[in-house]
Amino acid sequence: MSVQERKERERAGRERLIVATARELAEQQGWDAVTTRRLAERIEYSQPVLYSHFRGKREIIGAVALEGAAEMAAALRAAASAADGPRARVTALARAYLDFAERNPAVYDAMFQLDGGLAFAHEDTPAPLKDAFAALLESLGEVAGDGVHPALFTEVFWAALHGLATLTRAGRLPPGDAERRVELLVDRLAMT
């Protein structure tokens, strides 16, 4: 291995450590607790080393969001592929989305609530974000209905899932009806 390859591998390892540590700290204490000073202390590197990888917290949030999008896409595809038939796929997809949001609140916030400097719905949208949307579209496109553009239908279904995830987490919806909400969403929106 050349010196350059070793340096690149070490740099990539430091970036993974920074992102993993930021994610862990955010999940434990919230994003307000994630500062470059605290990250530097936890990973035992100086703040200038952190800044050599990320210009600040915004870029770290963006990196967590991209990692989360890749994980969400994999979870959605796994759930959909394990289900048989369109209704079962859409139901599994909805449950997987809501489960991901519940299990990973700080990552979900990085993806959809916080400013990570990432473009959504643009030509320059990063590939992991496009892929997470594609993971939804793959199952939802088949149930969009005649005359309904599959991507537009997917946006509306995604918005409903996001609303359920956000309102549930904020304690605005009674927790006992979560399964009935998924059934209603699938029945009324995806299977009409």
Side-chain angles (χ1 to χ4, degrees):
M1 174 183 307
S2 73
V3 172
Q4 181 65 24
E5 289 171 331
R6 182 183 52 79
K7 285 182 180 183
E8 287 174 11
R9 190 178 75 220
E10 289 171 356
R11 179 173 178 77
R14 279 191 307 273
E15 282 187 14
R16 284 191 304 275
L17 178 61
I18 293 166
V19 170
T21 304
R23 183 176 173 165
E24 177 184 319
L25 186 57
E27 292 291 1
Q28 291 171 351
Q29 300 177 31
W31 278 104
D32 288 341
V34 179
T35 64
T36 54
R37 182 185 58 77
R38 288 183 91 185
L39 286 174
E41 288 172 4
R42 281 205 173 195
I43 64 172
E44 299 177 345
Y45 282 105
S46 67
Q47 283 182 287
V49 170
L50 279 165
Y51 285 117
S52 73
H53 291 276
F54 299 99
R55 286 182 281 196
K57 183 175 177 177
R58 182 179 186 218
E59 285 189 4
I60 294 169
I61 290 169
V64 170
L66 293 176
E67 187 176 271
E71 291 171 10
M72 178 183 272
L76 295 174
R77 285 190 175 103
S81 69
D84 188 29
R87 186 183 197 298
R89 274 192 293 281
V90 173
T91 300
L93 184 82
R95 285 184 185 130
Y97 183 98
L98 296 171
D99 288 347
F100 181 89
E102 182 180 355
R103 281 191 328 273
N104 305 283
V107 174
Y108 193 82
D109 284 349
M111 292 168 65
F112 300 119
Q113 307 283 48
L114 302 174
D115 179 10
L118 303 173
F120 282 80
H122 289 85
E123 289 286 323
D124 59 343
T125 298
L129 298 178
K130 288 181 180 179
D131 190 49
F133 184 78
L136 289 168
L137 180 62
E138 290 161 9
S139 291
L140 295 172
E142 70 180 321
V143 297
D146 294 337
V148 178
H149 192 280
L152 183 62
F153 178 80
T154 301
E155 290 170 354
V156 171
F157 198 88
W158 172 29
L161 289 172
H162 177 70
L164 287 174
T166 303
L167 292 170
T168 299
R169 185 165 151 213
R172 303 292 197 269
L173 299 174
D177 293 326
E179 187 59 33
R180 288 179 46 211
R181 284 186 199 97
V182 170
E183 290 172 11
L184 183 62
L185 177 63
V186 171
D187 286 343
R188 301 299 172 142
L189 191 57
M191 295 300 148
T192 55

